[in-house]
Amino acid sequence: MLNILARKLRNFNLLHQEDIDRLDELVHVSYPLASGQDIIRQGDEPHTVHLILDGVACRYKLLPNGGRPIVALLIPGDFCDLHVAILSQMDHNIGALTDCHIVDIPRAQIEDLLTNYPRIARALWWATLVDEAVLREWLVNMGQRRADRMIGHLICELLTRFSAVGLDHPFSLPLTQEQLGDTLGITAVHTQRVLAEMRDQGLLALENRAIIVPDFDRLRRFSDFNPDYLHLNRALPY
Amino acid sequence: MLNILARKLRNFNLLHQEDIDRLDELVHVSYPLASGQDIIRQGDEPHTVHLILDGVACRYKLLPNGGRPIVALLIPGDFCDLHVAILSQMDHNIGALTDCHIVDIPRAQIEDLLTNYPRIARALWWATLVDEAVLREWLVNMGQRRADRMIGHLICELLTRFSAVGLDHPFSLPLTQEQLGDTLGITAVHTQRVLAEMRDQGLLALENRAIIVPDFDRLRRFSDFNPDYLHLNRALPY
DNA sequence: CGATTCGTTGACGTCCGTCAAGCTAAGTGG
DNA sequence: CCACTTAGCTTGACGGACGTCAACGAATCG
């Protein structure tokens, strides 16, 4: 069984066995972090790179008016701050949305990957560029679609990303309605109403405060979701 | 007089004279591009890197419903596709919003910079990370603020970015109201109404289809604009 | 069994979209 | 010089998506 980082970077169709072996060395020592705890805060100057092994985290900002917009969702295999040493300090926070397991990777290890493992280096570049592409797609989502399509589109993206690292099972999303609203720029009340309507239409099922997708392809068409922007080169069946 | 690329990268406070000399070699051969023309299209696999020398361009997508959301504005000194060779193809278009001057830089030149000029390489990393930070801030802008603050915030960002590359003079923005609306996710009609109200309040002046800012600091406070996310380390007065 | 968090529902208001018409400025060709 | 066209700006009427405020239920937990 590959480790989660190798499973993610394999989507870039380039790694050899020696690269995967090298990645295995990175993810041995993890620690748990409880839901609601912060991984990094705005203004921090982190000295290690954080990788999500398990759970869901988010990038978020704190606004003067109390708003707490979520600007990215991080799932297993995602880096929190791969290149942040370039910038003097974090311009946003990263917090755990569910109970997580995190790995701290010393910067020297990353430098070693970038200089001595060119295939891994290119794969890390790929991951960074995909993160940027996701931000652009979120802008399109928020600017152009209405709440039901926004929600559907976000769920499609997350299921696709989970699937790309071999995590098909959690076909349920562990986000509160308030967190979902903070991600999409709508209020929790409206999120609730739209979710209820989508459930009535059979697009979603809501069980135990989790969102289940009974028919992915139907939700995909409903939401105008096209996964090209995720640049998953690898043949999709895991 | 420094070239525009050196002026931009100097914001990262790291370049030596030899770096600036090297950058000078890159920007000799430019060509004009008329407003409305595309620089790159979705699906393209560009072989050269494009740099904006003059004018304003934008990243945009084309939606099935005819929408044309703008997901980034590119000003002089900005790269269009610095690292796109990593990804198999463009997932969006880049078009000229005004008449532009563009430089094509062969990929080999970029590779040379990245391997033989470590300070320039770090500065290019910095520029990439700032682009990402801008995308996050746009998400906050669209998700959390209403149209008048959105417009004010975007204008503050653009004036700050122009100023950071020594272009204080064009204190007028050359965007049509429709382009402004496509950038912020609102209709051209609503953009017009809000601009008119902001003009009535003295926050903006509209002359010759351009937007003038009579009091930057007042607009900054009105829009809750904080330039930290642009990571302009250099002392700001140019 | 309170306390807390999250989900649910209702009433009401507003920001913004939609549709439509008319206006201005600039360019084109007769 | 004058239609004519076109792109962009302006304005009005109307409706809908979404926000706000408020109360209540449901689940979890110490």
Side-chain angles (χ1 to χ4, degrees), chain B residues 59-71:
Chain B
R59 301 181 191 277
Y60 69 95
K61 297 209 179 194
L62 291 172
L63 266 47
N65 65 8
R68 190 189 151 101
I70 293 174
V71 294

Side-chain angles (χ1 to χ4, degrees), chain B residues 23-60:
Chain B
L23 293 177
D24 274 336
E25 300 171 10
L26 294 177
V27 298
H28 282 153
V29 190
S30 72
Y31 58 92
L33 194 68
S35 163
Q37 300 299 304
D38 282 332
I39 300 173
I40 325 176
R41 291 215 176 85
Q42 189 167 350
D44 284 358
E45 304 179 25
H47 294 89
T48 63
V49 171
H50 301 82
L51 173 71
I52 312 279
L53 274 195
D54 191 43
V56 178
C58 71
R59 301 181 191 277
Y60 69 95

Side-chain angles (χ1 to χ4, degrees), chain A:
Chain A
M1 186 59 172
L2 294 179
N3 73 69
I4 187 72
L5 181 54
R7 274 184 278 164
K8 165 158 176 167
L9 296 185
R10 276 211 339 172
N11 282 288
F12 185 55
N13 249 350
L14 188 69
L15 299 191
H16 295 192
Q17 186 58 44
E18 60 183 284
D19 302 316
I20 292 175
D21 293 341
R22 180 68 183 87
L23 292 177
D24 273 337
E25 300 172 10
L26 294 177
V27 298
H28 283 152
V29 189
S30 72
Y31 58 93
L33 194 69
S35 162
Q37 300 299 304
D38 281 332
I39 299 173
I40 324 175
R41 291 214 177 84
Q42 189 167 349
D44 284 357
E45 304 180 26
H47 294 88
T48 63
V49 171
H50 302 82
L51 173 71
I52 312 279
L53 274 194
D54 191 44
V56 178
C58 70
R59 301 181 193 277
Y60 69 96
K61 296 209 179 194
L62 292 172
L63 266 46
N65 65 7
R68 190 189 151 101
I70 293 175
V71 294
L73 290 174
L74 305 175
I75 71 170
D78 288 342
F79 283 104
C80 296
D81 41 22
L82 184 53
H83 314 295
V84 81
I86 298 274
L87 300 178
S88 54
Q89 54 178 23
M90 291 289 293
D91 59 13
H92 60 277
N93 310 278
I94 301 182
L97 290 175
T98 68
D99 292 344
C100 287
H101 284 266
I102 313 285
V103 175
D104 281 3
I105 302 175
R107 280 196 43 69
Q109 293 283 321
I110 300 290
E111 300 285 356
D112 177 56
L113 293 182
L114 292 177
T115 56
N116 298 323
Y117 292 80
R119 286 184 299 268
I120 293 180
R122 278 181 73 88
L124 293 177
W125 263 111
W126 167 81
T128 302
L129 295 178
V130 170
D131 286 349
E132 219 179 289
V134 168
L135 284 169
R136 284 192 294 267
E137 189 67 23
W138 282 29
L139 273 177
V140 173
N141 204 24
M142 291 186 48
Q144 304 289 323
R145 291 187 252 264
R146 276 177 279 155
D148 51 357
R149 317 297 163 127
M150 275 202 291
I151 291 175
H153 193 280
L154 178 62
I155 291 173
C156 284
E157 178 191 300
L158 287 174
L159 292 185
T160 303
R161 286 168 58 191
F162 270 109
S163 171
V165 292
L167 297 174
D168 299 272
H169 315 300
F171 250 51
S172 63
L173 287 188
L175 293 182
T176 69
Q177 295 180 355
E178 182 167 16
Q179 290 161 351
L180 196 52
D182 283 341
T183 308
L184 297 170
I186 57 183
T187 60
V189 172
H190 197 241
T191 303
Q192 144 65 21
R193 286 191 229 276
V194 174
L195 279 178
E197 192 191 323
M198 294 175 78
R199 182 192 51 204
D200 292 347
Q201 295 179 20
L203 287 162
L204 302 176
L206 305 178
E207 292 178 11
N208 284 337
R209 296 184 176 174
I211 300 172
I212 315 282
V213 177
D215 183 346
F216 179 82
D217 197 59
R218 183 173 165 219
L219 186 65
R220 186 188 59 70
R221 279 180 276 113
F222 176 82
S223 312
D224 188 29
F225 174 76
N226 179 331
D228 287 353
Y229 68 96
L230 294 173
H231 295 276
L232 301 172
N233 301 329
R234 188 169 56 77
L236 264 181
Y238 194 73

